[in-house]
């Protein structure tokens, strides 16, 4: 496998966990985006961005957008982490929303993350509570998969991280 680097942005730890698992599986260098300098990143043939999904956006994607001109000739991949179970239509929406322009052909992979309200920052916790109240007003038979997951997680600590989610990404990296 070509020499590579994993850059990640993790708010509550699930994305960091995946980045570290990926590092042990690939022996790639692993660094938080806040510490990554593009001058160093461009020295690697393969770059994997790992970022959590927040309000339909992928954390850390701005790093790729800002530097895509210097990274276009690299093997790129994005691994995004969300609290919801995988849903093909929701994943397609995340891809369409985030991977536009020069990013549209970058392969996107998904891993389910974690939910721990006690670790959430006040604003995130407040936004989640508002969303839960809004969803609770709906008929449960009409819930989308993310809504079911949200309502099941209320008041619980859940960790759905699993190295199995990295298998499709590993297969891509080994091509």
């Amino acid at each position: 496998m070509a020499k590579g680097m994993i850059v990640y942005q993790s708010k509550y730890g699930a994305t960091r966990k995946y980045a570290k698992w990926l590092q042990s599986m690939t022996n790639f260098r692993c660094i938080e985006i806040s510490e990554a300098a593009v001058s160093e990143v461009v020295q690697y043939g393969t770059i994997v961005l790992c970022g959590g999904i927040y309000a339909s956006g992928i954390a850390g994607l701005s790093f790729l957008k800002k530097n895509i001109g210097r990274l276009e000739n690299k093997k790129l991949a994005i691994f995004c982490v969300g609290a919801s179970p995988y849903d093909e239509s929701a994943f397609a929406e995340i891809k369409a929303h985030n991977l536009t322009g020069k990013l549209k052909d970058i392969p996107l992979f998904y891993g389910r993350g974690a939910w721990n309200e006690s670790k959430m920052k006040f604003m995130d916790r407040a936004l989640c509570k508002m969303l839960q109240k809004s969803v609770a007003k709906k008929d449960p038979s009409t819930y989308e998969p993310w809504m079911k997951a949200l309502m099941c997680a209320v008041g619980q600590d859940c960790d759905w991280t699993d190295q199995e989610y990295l298998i499709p990404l590993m297969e891509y990296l080994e091509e």
Side-chain angles (χ1 to χ4, degrees):
M1 197 175 301
K3 184 168 83 163
M5 176 177 255
I6 302 157
V7 291
Y8 71 92
Q9 185 169 331
S10 185
K11 201 169 193 179
Y12 296 110
T15 302
R16 179 183 306 106
K17 189 184 224 182
Y18 279 113
K20 296 299 183 178
W21 280 340
L22 188 58
Q23 178 184 32
S24 69
M25 297 164 87
T26 61
N27 289 317
F28 285 3
R29 181 145 193 280
C30 185
I31 188 169
E32 285 190 65
I33 286 178
S34 61
E35 299 173 13
V38 72
S39 59
E40 180 184 4
V41 176
V42 297
Q43 296 175 26
Y44 294 87
T46 301
I47 294 107
V48 179
L49 168 77
C50 297
I53 299 171
Y54 302 101
S56 298
I58 301 172
L61 194 61
S62 59
F63 179 85
L64 279 184
K65 286 181 180 178
K66 180 180 170 185
N67 298 299
I68 192 63
R70 296 184 65 187
L71 301 172
E72 283 180 302
N73 61 340
K74 308 294 181 183
K75 184 172 191 168
L76 301 172
I78 300 168
F79 186 83
C80 58
V81 180
S84 298
Y86 177 81
D87 176 73
E88 194 168 328
S89 64
F91 188 65
E93 286 179 31
I94 293 292
K95 186 171 185 171
H97 176 74
N98 289 280
L99 303 185
T100 59
K102 292 184 177 185
L103 304 183
K104 73 178 175 107
D105 294 323
I106 299 174
L108 182 66
F109 302 90
Y110 182 80
R112 194 163 183 202
W115 179 272
N116 186 334
E117 290 176 28
S118 64
K119 287 185 178 179
M120 287 183 189
K121 294 178 181 173
F122 173 78
M123 186 57 74
D124 291 338
R125 195 169 45 253
L127 290 171
C128 286
K129 291 287 184 200
M130 287 175 26
L131 187 57
Q132 288 166 344
K133 285 181 181 180
S134 173
V135 170
K137 294 175 185 175
K138 298 178 183 281
D139 177 353
S141 68
T142 66
Y143 284 178
E144 294 179 38
W146 70 267
M147 293 175 179
K148 289 178 189 174
L150 177 70
M151 299 311 286
C152 288
V154 174
Q156 297 186 49
D157 290 346
C158 305
D159 184 347
W160 302 286
T161 57
D162 189 330
Q163 289 185 28
E164 295 289 314
Y165 285 112
L166 291 169
I167 291 172
L169 173 57
M170 287 298 298
E171 290 170 352
Y172 168 73
L173 295 174
E174 292 169 353
E175 288 177 358

